[in-house]
Amino acid sequence: NFRISYIKDVILSRTIDEPAATALSSVLVYNNADITTYFMTERPCLEQVFQLLKGADTSHSSTASVELDPEHGAITEASPPSEPNHESEVDSQFLDALKFLVELCGLSKPLQPPFRTQFYSTMIDCGLFDICLRAVRSGNSSAEALGVELFGSAVSNDAAMVRSLLLSQPKADYLFAALIEKMCGSDVTVLYSAADLVRTLVDVDPAQAGSEKDDF
């Protein structure tokens, strides 16, 4: 896909005619659909990615601790303990796996609505909400932004389905609460993205059943 995009957008950007550009775009769409369908049918491969994310250490031991200086009677801030290399590698893998899932959700856009809904149902069954919650609460700005974007992909696909899961799954309920907390944060990108997701979920279509509106 990268090679086709490079040929279409860079090498032949000024000389390619419209039929050829349309043909290359169709190839990209079909390739993206094949990639998404593969991970949807080969569930063990997708579960390996989620297992990597669930097993990653997202705790932060770099926070400085406060200690009492007995000689001067003053409160001092102790230096944070050094982190081993293995922990930083796990954090890097966690971010890479999050980026992979965000990219995979982007590739699912060409799918027909029934297949796209099936794709997100598979992602949710594998623990999508749990991963988004870990990312949003990780304390890492990059992970938080990726977690919000990943959850936003599911909301953009079918807000009604996500809304119903918020009422039935505790992890989804915790994630919604975490998004509200991020609306009071200092990261502007995460703040606005979280606020937009909360608004989309709260803004229930008046044509929907009254019981669902009342429950939510």
Side-chain angles (χ1 to χ4, degrees):
N1 277 5
F2 172 78
R3 293 184 178 91
I4 296 176
S5 299
Y6 188 81
I7 292 173
K8 173 179 173 292
D9 299 331
V10 179
I11 298 178
L12 302 178
S13 60
R14 297 183 179 180
T15 59
I16 192 171
D17 55 7
E18 185 174 351
T22 302
L24 291 177
S25 298
S26 299
V27 173
L28 289 173
V29 170
Y30 285 121
N31 285 347
N32 292 342
D34 287 341
I35 294 172
T36 307
T37 304
Y38 171 80
F39 281 97
M40 187 169 56
T41 55
E42 297 294 332
R43 185 161 174 168
C45 296
L46 191 61
E47 289 177 344
Q48 288 181 1
V49 179
F50 278 92
Q51 288 299 326
L52 174 63
L53 288 165
K54 293 176 182 178
D57 183 12
T58 57
S59 61
H60 292 269
S61 59
S62 59
T63 303
S65 60
V66 177
E67 295 182 351
L68 178 64
D69 187 349
E71 294 184 2
H72 302 88
I75 296 178
T76 59
E77 188 176 16
S79 301
S82 58
E83 298 181 355
N85 293 332
H86 177 68
E87 185 174 350
S88 61
E89 292 177 358
V90 169
D91 291 340
S92 176
Q93 291 178 358
F94 184 79
L95 290 175
D96 290 341
L98 278 177
K99 293 176 183 177
F100 171 79
L101 290 182
V102 170
E103 183 70 19
L104 187 61
C105 289
L107 296 180
S108 68
K109 292 181 180 179
L111 295 177
Q112 295 296 322
F115 294 101
R116 193 165 61 245
T117 300
Q118 183 182 356
F119 167 76
Y120 278 101
S121 297
T122 302
M123 295 273 285
I124 292 172
D125 291 341
C126 291
L128 177 65
F129 290 158
D130 187 19
I131 297 306
C132 292
L133 179 62
R134 286 172 58 86
V136 171
R137 289 185 172 177
S138 64
N140 181 280
S141 59
S142 299
E144 291 175 359
L146 290 169
V148 172
E149 183 178 358
L150 186 59
F151 183 64
S153 299
V155 174
S156 299
N157 175 68
D158 192 345
M161 179 185 67
V162 175
R163 194 179 298 114
S164 64
L165 291 172
L166 286 172
L167 298 173
S168 60
Q169 294 188 6
K171 287 293 184 181
D173 192 17
Y174 298 153
L175 177 57
F176 186 74
L179 290 175
I180 296 177
E181 293 177 1
K182 291 304 173 184
M183 291 172 58
C184 303
S186 58
D187 192 325
V188 177
T189 303
V190 176
L191 187 153
Y192 283 112
S193 299
D196 186 58
L197 286 177
V198 171
R199 181 183 61 184
T200 302
L201 292 171
V202 173
D203 187 16
V204 182
D205 188 355
Q208 292 180 350
S211 59
E212 182 180 352
K213 291 179 60 179
D214 295 338
D215 292 340
F216 193 73

